[in-house]
Amino acid sequence: MKKLIDRIGAELGRAFEAAGYEASYGKATLSNRPDLCEYQCNGAMAGAKAYHCAPIQIAERVVEKLTGNPMFLEAVAVKPGFINLKLAPEAVKEYLQNMAAEERLGCDKAENPKTIILDYGGPNVAKPLHVGHLRSAIIGESIKRLGRFMGHTMIGDIHLGDWGLQMGLIITELRHRKPELPYFDENYGGEYPKEAPFTISELEEIYPTASAKSKEDEAYKEEAMQATYLVQHGHRGYQEILRHILQVSVTDLKRNYENLGVSFDLWKGESDAQPYIPDMVEEMKRQGFAYESEGALVVDIREETDAKEIPPCMILKSDGASLYTTTDLATIVERMKLFHPDEIIYVVDKRQEMHFIQVFRCARKTGLVGEDTRLRFLGFGTMNGRDGKPFKTREGGVMRLEHLIADINEEMYQKIRENQEIPEEEARRTARITGLSAIKYGDLSNQASKDYVFDVERFTSFEGDTGPYLLYTIVRIKSILAKYGEQGGDLGQAVIREPQSEAEKALMLEAAKFNGVMETAFLEIAPHKICAYLYDLANAFNKFYHETRILKEEDKERQKGLIGLLLLCRRILETCIHILGFEAPDRM
Ligand code: ARG
């Protein structure tokens, strides 16, 4: 369905043409002066030069051609040459009627659906999820859902960090603790146990212990590096341990991501890319892209236009070991082979930007991806505490994600309890639902690339630009609708009527923006634009709600129209929050 703003633009274009000007000047924009008009057109100013006349003259002539146009209630030319527009109630009604009749609320699916791989989450196995992983999960999930809504094939890949030194460290520590295990017996030829030799809590303790030891003990570190080398080169027993680590870790990760409402289509990891490395490296050498420099194998990726020095991309270290870049390059090979994506989007901490510049340039230069595959890095900023420093626990340690979520849920629970008497179990459940909205909305409402302050107090508030405020608004709508239903009202087909008040019209105009917002948000991969829209829509709704009798309205026909508008608003709000990755409770 054409965007309302484009419909207005089309009418303007026709009027410009009828007045003897080029139609392309007839573009509509949102009003800069909502006190004066709803939409405006600045085309007369742009056209003044070309037509050698005062903009106001053009504006006046165009306005003349707009008289009688059923789309507008009012079209006025004001100095220096603006055309201020107010829409006809009938036109607004018609637009919303069409919207309500469509399953997708007037938002067209992409004309050329793409296959897009979304690399997000990126946790490292055997290490607990901490707040640093939160942003990638939240932002990535919403982009995935948004892309799907727009009709693209979105493939979410968690891209586990499962190939580094941490594996060697765990193996080494395990070896010190339980040398009798068959994995360490070089002569062992039998089957290995099915059960992992550790639980998740042990694993989470083993890793930091080993990591600390390796920093003090050279020999220990040497051992861990050797173990890493062996596991990466097919050591039977070690690979079995790797399998256990993955299994235990992934089970735990799945539970955690599920609590966050985040899911992945692929649970692949760095280790899955390894089989692609040898051929890839050979090919880079054969084509003369990769050459030896100080023992290491590198590819030059400098470009003439570079303002700063971009170091060569390292493919192999001097001992032949692969690196983070190697793994990411080989993962591109794998993804191209398995999925032929039109696009790969990486949702990763912006501090890794240089890494991705190197990987992307190298992938292009060496032909791992062709012209028609786009590589995009969506770097996000740091989540800070109220002190403006990276978010920490009260004791100053790294905050585990589970604890953060538990804290927020507790905060929400207290607030819900203060607000009303509801059964314990429901209060807990509602606290979880609203808590998630607080976390996700608090994150997503900021432009992803910026740092932001995670402010528990503010994020959990029922007032202001917060997740709970939005849920509160939805719950309010749901409750009115439920009461209307109890009074025998029909909640089936939404009847849309002409607006009767300023607040109602404003709400309808806000609702009408839905398709445009979705389109822009996807184009710019900007979930924060959906948040801004939701906030505007919720504000418009609440203003309307406070000024309008709905359940007490005596004119039943008018009431049907009000209820129809509520039904439509609920659908829009729920569609949007679903895309952001959370849901609304029935009451709170
Ligand atoms: N595991 C990495 C980290 O914790 C993030 C992975 C991001 N994705 C990628 N393809 N490199 O920093």
Side-chain angles (χ1 to χ4, degrees):
M1 200 167 130
K2 205 171 188 159
K3 285 176 275 179
L4 181 57
I5 203 162
D6 291 343
R7 288 238 178 128
I8 300 170
E11 295 301 328
L12 285 167
R14 271 193 281 277
F16 268 79
E17 214 162 29
Y21 309 107
E22 188 134 349
S24 62
Y25 289 110
K27 274 210 181 63
T29 57
L30 277 177
S31 163
N32 283 334
R33 291 286 305 271
D35 53 327
L36 296 181
C37 59
E38 294 150 0
Y39 286 87
Q40 67 185 55
C41 171
N42 306 337
M45 256 89 69
K49 235 194 182 151
Y51 298 106
H52 305 290
C53 65
I56 189 73
Q57 281 180 318
I58 301 180
E60 275 164 359
R61 277 186 210 139
V62 173
V63 161
E64 215 171 278
K65 299 292 174 197
L66 286 172
T67 354
N69 187 318
M71 180 127 215
F72 305 105
L73 176 70
E74 205 179 282
V76 257
V78 291
K79 278 188 179 149
F82 297 111
I83 301 171
N84 287 351
L85 302 164
K86 280 191 183 164
L87 297 189
E90 171 68 26
V92 180
K93 174 192 116 179
E94 201 191 293
Y95 193 82
L96 257 62
Q97 241 167 6
N98 291 334
M99 232 180 124
E102 276 194 21
E103 196 197 329
R104 300 172 46 80
L105 296 160
C107 183
D108 296 340
K109 282 200 174 188
E111 258 172 52
N112 302 306
K114 293 183 191 154
T115 298
I116 301 175
I117 294 186
L118 201 62
D119 183 314
Y120 72 110
N124 300 309
V125 295
K127 297 188 199 171
L129 281 178
H130 57 80
V131 297
H133 295 111
L134 185 63
R135 297 212 72 191
S136 181
I138 292 179
I139 300 168
E141 179 71 20
S142 72
I143 296 169
K144 184 187 76 182
R145 293 179 182 212
L146 175 58
R148 270 191 195 150
F149 181 75
M150 298 309 288
H152 299 285
T153 301
M154 305 294 289
I155 305 172
D157 183 1
I158 189 164
H159 198 70
L160 296 166
D162 60 357
W163 197 243
L165 181 63
Q166 82 256 36
M167 297 304 166
L169 283 166
I170 294 164
I171 293 171
T172 301
E173 184 57 23
L174 199 63
R175 188 187 181 116
H176 282 233
R177 289 184 192 189
K178 301 180 180 169
E180 72 286 356
L181 289 174
Y183 314 100
F184 306 116
D185 177 356
E186 301 303 329
N187 301 317
Y188 186 76
E191 281 213 1
Y192 291 109
K194 289 239 161 353
E195 282 286 298
F198 39 68
T199 62
I200 183 68
S201 12
E202 281 166 332
L203 195 56
E204 286 179 354
E205 175 267 321
I206 291 176
Y207 172 71
T209 310
S211 171
K213 276 192 195 171
S214 75
K215 285 188 184 110
E216 281 162 12
D217 184 343
E218 250 327 293
Y220 188 95
K221 184 168 183 196
E222 199 50 50
E223 223 180 295
M225 275 159 66
Q226 176 65 11
T228 310
Y229 180 87
L230 287 174
V231 72
Q232 294 185 350
H233 289 81
H235 184 289
R236 210 175 136 251
Y238 288 5
Q239 290 215 319
E240 202 55 23
I241 300 180
L242 179 67
R243 206 179 56 75
H244 286 310
I245 299 177
L246 269 172
Q247 198 184 33
V248 169
S249 215
V250 164
T251 309
D252 187 60
L253 285 171
K254 283 201 168 142
R255 185 180 56 79
N256 270 290
Y257 282 114
E258 208 167 288
N259 286 338
L260 268 181
V262 171
S263 68
F264 300 91
D265 305 290
L266 301 176
W267 279 78
K268 286 182 167 282
E270 294 171 356
S271 64
D272 290 291
Q274 303 310 311
Y276 296 89
I277 293 179
D279 284 354
M280 177 184 83
V281 171
E282 263 328 296
E283 195 53 27
M284 285 181 182
K285 281 200 226 165
R286 197 184 63 77
Q287 296 193 44
F289 292 123
Y291 67 93
E292 243 173 69
S293 162
E294 294 168 37
L297 193 70
V298 302
V299 171
D300 272 335
I301 46 164
R302 263 177 301 134
E303 282 170 13
E304 260 170 42
T305 48
D306 288 345
K308 61 177 178 190
E309 175 83 18
I310 307 282
C313 181
M314 222 204 263
I315 307 295
L316 292 178
K317 288 203 272 193
S318 49
D319 62 358
S322 55
L323 304 102
Y324 189 37
T325 32
T326 327
T327 305
D328 263 322
L329 287 165
T331 304
I332 291 180
V333 175
E334 184 190 23
R335 287 173 176 165
M336 291 309 290
K337 179 164 178 244
L338 301 182
F339 305 104
H340 312 288
D342 299 296
E343 217 170 285
I344 307 177
I345 305 177
Y346 296 81
V347 186
V348 184
D349 193 312
K350 73 177 175 202
R351 285 169 290 194
Q352 294 193 23
E353 183 168 17
M354 184 49 87
H355 165 76
F356 284 99
I357 291 179
Q358 292 186 307
V359 168
F360 292 179
R361 284 194 183 182
C362 185
R364 278 220 187 280
K365 181 170 180 180
T366 62
L368 303 187
V369 292
E371 283 292 306
D372 42 10
T373 296
R374 183 165 180 199
L375 300 172
R376 266 166 121 171
F377 173 64
L378 189 74
F380 54 79
T382 307
M383 172 174 148
N384 289 325
R386 275 160 93 163
D387 57 0
K389 300 199 188 102
F391 199 88
K392 292 266 156 61
T393 59
R394 236 169 257 148
E395 293 72 37
V398 174
M399 183 68 142
R400 285 182 65 149
L401 195 51
E402 273 177 289
H403 298 160
L404 177 88
I405 294 174
D407 285 357
I408 294 271
N409 288 353
E410 188 54 35
E411 184 81 23
M412 285 311 329
Y413 173 77
Q414 298 300 345
K415 287 196 174 157
I416 288 165
R417 270 288 148 107
E418 269 165 37
N419 264 1
Q420 59 171 313
E421 267 308 307
I422 50 172
E424 165 79 13
E425 203 191 314
E426 187 184 343
R428 289 277 171 208
R429 195 174 53 239
T430 307
R432 274 199 303 277
I433 300 177
T434 34
L436 192 63
S437 81
I439 297 178
K440 289 196 167 183
Y441 189 86
D443 189 310
L444 292 169
S445 53
N446 301 284
Q447 197 178 327
S449 61
K450 300 221 166 97
D451 297 350
Y452 78 102
V453 172
F454 191 91
D455 186 337
V456 179
E457 192 57 35
R458 189 166 76 74
F459 288 5
T460 57
S461 169
F462 288 105
E463 278 149 40
D465 192 6
T466 70
Y469 168 68
L470 293 178
L471 297 195
Y472 198 78
T473 306
I474 296 175
V475 166
R476 172 172 272 164
I477 297 178
K478 282 187 179 182
S479 122
I480 303 170
L481 291 174
K483 285 197 191 116
Y484 181 73
E486 281 159 23
Q487 291 172 4
D490 177 12
L491 291 169
Q493 196 61 35
V495 177
I496 304 290
R497 293 264 149 83
E498 289 169 22
Q500 305 278 323
S501 70
E502 281 300 312
E504 189 176 352
K505 191 178 185 195
L507 174 60
M508 291 172 89
L509 287 175
E510 215 41 73
K513 289 181 195 158
F514 173 76
N515 53 3
V517 170
M518 289 298 144
E519 212 179 279
T520 315
F522 180 73
L523 209 67
E524 299 173 13
I525 16 182
H528 71 278
K529 300 219 160 154
I530 300 177
C531 294
Y533 171 64
L534 274 171
Y535 186 51
D536 286 346
L537 185 61
N539 282 339
F541 173 79
N542 285 313
K543 184 163 192 303
F544 157 80
Y545 167 80
H546 287 297
E547 290 180 10
T548 316
R549 258 183 324 193
I550 302 175
L551 289 169
K552 293 215 176 75
E553 175 58 55
E554 275 153 24
D555 178 345
K556 291 299 154 199
E557 282 308 305
R558 159 119 179 97
Q559 191 177 41
K560 270 189 201 159
L562 295 170
I563 292 295
L565 182 54
L566 259 63
L567 284 167
L568 178 62
C569 286
R570 184 181 76 179
R571 275 175 70 201
I572 300 175
L573 289 163
E574 290 196 317
T575 304
C576 288
I577 63 167
H578 177 74
I579 288 173
L580 296 182
F582 54 92
E583 314 293 326
D586 286 329
R587 54 179 196 165
M588 61 196 271

